[in-house]
Amino acid sequence: MKELKGISKETLQAYWKANVRLTTFTLIVWFVVTYVCAFFVRELNTIVIFGFPFGYYMGAQGSLIVFVWLIFNYAFKMNANDKKYGVEEEEE
Amino acid sequence: MAKGKSPFLDNLGKIYAMYTGGFILFVIGLAFGEKMGMSNASIGYTYMFATIGLYAVIGISSRTAKVSEYYVAGRSVPALFNGMATGSDWMSAASFIGMAGTIFGFGYDGLAYIMGWTGGYVLLAVFLGPYLRKFGQYTIPDFLGARYGGSAARTIGIIAAIVASFTYLIAQVTGVGIIMSRFLGIDFQIGVFVGLAGILVCSMLGGMKAVTWTQVAQYIILILAYLVPVTVMSYNVTGIPVSEVMYGQVLQKIDAKEKVINADPKEIEVMALWKKEVEKIDADLKNLPASLDAKRQALNDSLAALPADAAAAEKEKIQKAIAGLPKNPVEAKEKWEAAKKSATEKSKPIKPYLEPFARLDMLNMLALTFCLMVGTAGLPHILMRYYTVPSVKQARISVGWSLFFIFLLYFTAPAYAAFARNEVLSNVVGLPIAQLPAWMANWAKVGLVSFKDMNADGILQFYELTIGADAIVLATPEIAGLPYVISGLVAAGGLAAALSTADGLLLTISNSLSHDLYYKMINPKASILKRLTISRVLLVIVAIISAWVATYKLTIIVELVAWAFSIAAASFFPALVMGIWDKRANKAGALAGMWAGFLICLFYMIGSRFYGLNWFGVKTISSGLFGIPLGFIMIYVVSRMTAPPSPELQDFVESVRIPKGSAAAHEE
């Protein structure tokens, strides 16, 4: 890997590992707010907040808020990781 | 992003802020015009010509002769603006007009669309977007070709891209035609071709560059148009203009009202009448084709029996009825099956709006959500957008902005549905038929609302009323008592949604043909001028074919669009993800996976739709449920049974994973 001279193999592996960890976390949350919440929607619907049954709310709006947060969280952490491991792209 | 690239790119924020302000002033001006007696028709025309003219100006001033500008907007679109462009690229006529109506009709189960069409961006963000940007070529088949060495993978990519995009494109063009014809009162066919001109003028001269900047402009119009009516509605009903929060109260009202309706003896009477209707249709269906002949005979007889001096209207009515009969037994079967379905629905008490899995069982709802999510992350016209940002960093952020801008609309759709349902249940049902509100009559004219006084008591029962899914968003301005200028705004928003999606799809298809097929496979020595010329010619040809197909108004199109998601999910997604995440994945594996995913998906779609195939009760729309895992498994297994990819290819995978350095791909 000629273009990455100056970065050790260990650093690259650590960077990729951090990425996999963050990706796994993101996917677990993604799975829980959609599929687990939908699976238990009847139970969750017994909780009512501001007129919203909670299970319904998660499907209609709650999961969406979490998705937006998840993606920004992933983006900011990954961009910080790029810097931390010295693999950020050259400014164009 | 580098400053000083062009005065336009340096001042994007200012330019679009001014544009938004200008558009709001334009709407206020029209509102003033309406007060002064401007007619509805002229308001409609002003909207259509002003917005399409505006898109044309953007499209023409973004013309380009550079390959990288034509295909990927010069990779100079900042994350935020790419997010807006992706938002309108993504949100089609169906999202804008149909989504709220789907929730209105399906209750909780309709939320599969909301979650599916947003959650897919999480997959896109972590599995694909940033890596594709690092790879940095022009199309999705480009990636498949580079990663899996050679034309074979690229070819499947081209086929799947075209199959998924083309049906989708026809639906958008149809949407444009419908909006045009409904609001301008012009012929559907003419509407289609006027819309087509609007699409071409945006994309032909400037390719991706022009499409991007028009899509940003279209996003602003569509989101304003979506939020204004429901916000006013929320203010009218609850006193607080935040529909997204206030509809919780409305949900409770709906729940209470539904219980009252299901216990009302009048409603029960209507349900019983529908049950009889179902039996009647059933008998007709069983006796096909004799029953169709009998109906025609009966009508002809009554026409013949009319006295010579009978009123012309009477005669016309019977002639119309004859013309309205199905032309042949096949058509009769289709029509009557549909009538039976809607009659059956009305013959049983409605399941509560909030009850989960009342209309789709749990397996199908979850499967649908899953297929829509994976399909979202696999649709080439969306993936392509992440080639246009300047860096990997911005690609990551841009997925976030994309979802945020999409979220603004999807977050509001359930509120639309709830307010409309509440209005119907609380203020319409129970009215004397003679005193129904004006909006119902208006939308009954175009067939979106229909009612039939089954028990002839002169009062509208809930089970006598049918509201088409598209009516919810389109009629809300009138329900909320807003002036016509807002109805026109909603139409302009729907038009923007359809046009922007059509632009993106058209570009995907013509680029697949011109770049992937022609330049990469047929004539790699073609000059830049030749490539761009061919691209533009193909764009026009594909656009005309799609408009021509759209004029046939095939009912199957809506269904096919839903299929496109499963096709994209089963064919693209596994090969793209494995190409980045599994270094061991090779050409043989990818080919096996893509073909297997694509074919099994197609097999189940056609089998379950037309030949009664049924695996675990999964519906046609979720066919990807089988194709997606099969694709992954095939890629994994077949790759490991064959030789590993070359060291160069493995280096290539490494390079795509790390933002620093250049990917194997080169820029022109």
Side-chain angles (χ1 to χ4, degrees), chain A residues 19 51 61 79 82 87 89, chain B residues 131 252 370 392 396 411 660:
Chain A
N19 177 16
Q61 293 184 326
N79 288 350
D82 287 358
V87 298
E89 58 219 301
Chain B
Y131 306 104
Q252 297 301 320
F370 182 69
V392 174
R396 292 184 185 128
F411 190 66
K660 195 185 176 101

Side-chain angles (χ1 to χ4, degrees), chain B residues 223-442:
Chain B
I223 201 68
L224 283 175
Y226 202 79
L227 297 181
V228 168
V230 74
T231 305
V232 176
M233 184 98 151
S234 169
Y235 180 72
N236 287 353
V237 176
T238 66
I240 295 172
V242 189
S243 62
E244 295 85 347
V245 179
M246 298 317 291
Y247 83 91
Q249 300 181 0
V250 175
L251 288 177
Q252 297 301 320
K253 277 196 208 165
I254 292 174
D255 207 39
K257 204 75 200 172
E258 281 175 342
K259 284 186 186 124
V260 175
I261 283 177
N262 279 339
D264 183 344
K266 287 269 185 197
E267 298 282 2
I268 294 167
E269 183 191 343
V270 174
M271 279 187 252
L273 290 168
W274 279 115
K275 203 168 216 163
K276 273 192 198 137
E277 183 78 22
V278 173
E279 284 158 17
K280 238 168 66 189
I281 300 173
D282 246 345
D284 281 346
L285 276 170
K286 241 179 239 139
N287 296 326
L288 264 175
S291 54
L292 181 62
D293 294 338
K295 272 181 203 281
R296 188 171 294 125
Q297 192 58 48
L299 281 170
N300 279 330
D301 286 350
S302 57
L303 189 64
L306 273 184
D309 58 344
E314 191 73 15
K315 204 170 159 191
E316 210 171 289
K317 200 176 147 198
I318 300 177
Q319 276 164 343
K320 248 192 192 157
I322 295 175
L325 277 180
K327 285 177 193 59
N328 49 48
V330 179
E331 198 191 316
K333 191 166 177 236
E334 203 167 292
K335 262 191 169 168
W336 293 348
E337 293 276 9
K340 182 183 160 188
K341 206 176 146 206
S342 86
T344 311
E345 264 167 36
K346 293 197 155 35
S347 68
K348 286 182 279 197
I350 31 161
K351 303 262 180 62
Y353 186 65
L354 291 172
E355 187 179 309
F357 314 124
R359 293 144 186 102
L360 275 178
D361 55 83
M362 187 193 274
L363 170 72
N364 269 304
M365 184 196 166
L366 296 183
L368 179 58
T369 310
F370 182 69
C371 288
L372 294 176
M373 279 183 173
V374 179
T376 301
L379 278 176
H381 72 287
I382 296 302
L383 291 171
M384 205 166 74
R385 287 232 52 94
Y386 297 98
Y387 283 137
T388 68
V389 291
S391 64
V392 174
K393 232 192 226 164
Q394 298 228 22
R396 292 184 185 128
I397 300 283
S398 191
V399 185
W401 283 122
S402 303
L403 184 58
F404 173 76
F405 288 121
I406 293 165
F407 162 87
L408 288 182
L409 189 146
Y410 284 24
F411 190 66
T412 310
Y416 251 106
F419 279 107
R421 198 167 179 92
N422 176 54
E423 174 71 21
V424 168
L425 292 177
S426 314
N427 297 338
V428 173
V429 167
L431 283 182
I433 301 240
Q435 292 170 24
L436 289 178
W439 65 266
M440 289 187 65
N442 287 344

Side-chain angles (χ1 to χ4, degrees), chain A residues 1 3 15-16 19 27 30 34-35 38-39 41-42 51-52 59 61 67 71-72 79 82 87 89-90 92, chain B residues 115 118-119 131 244-245 247-248 252 356-357 362 370 373 390-393 396 400 411 654-655 657 659-660:
Chain A
M1 299 198 356
E3 69 273 17
Y15 170 75
W16 188 247
N19 177 16
L27 289 174
W30 165 83
T34 22
Y35 299 100
F39 193 83
V41 60
R42 289 205 176 89
F52 292 105
Q61 293 184 326
F67 294 153
I71 297 178
F72 276 116
N79 288 350
D82 287 358
V87 298
E89 58 219 301
E90 299 79 9
E92 66 282 10
Chain B
M115 288 191 284
T118 54
Y131 306 104
E244 295 85 347
V245 179
Y247 83 91
Q252 297 301 320
F357 314 124
M362 187 193 274
F370 182 69
M373 279 183 173
S391 64
V392 174
K393 232 192 226 164
R396 292 184 185 128
F411 190 66
E654 291 270 347
S655 76
R657 289 179 179 184
K660 195 185 176 101

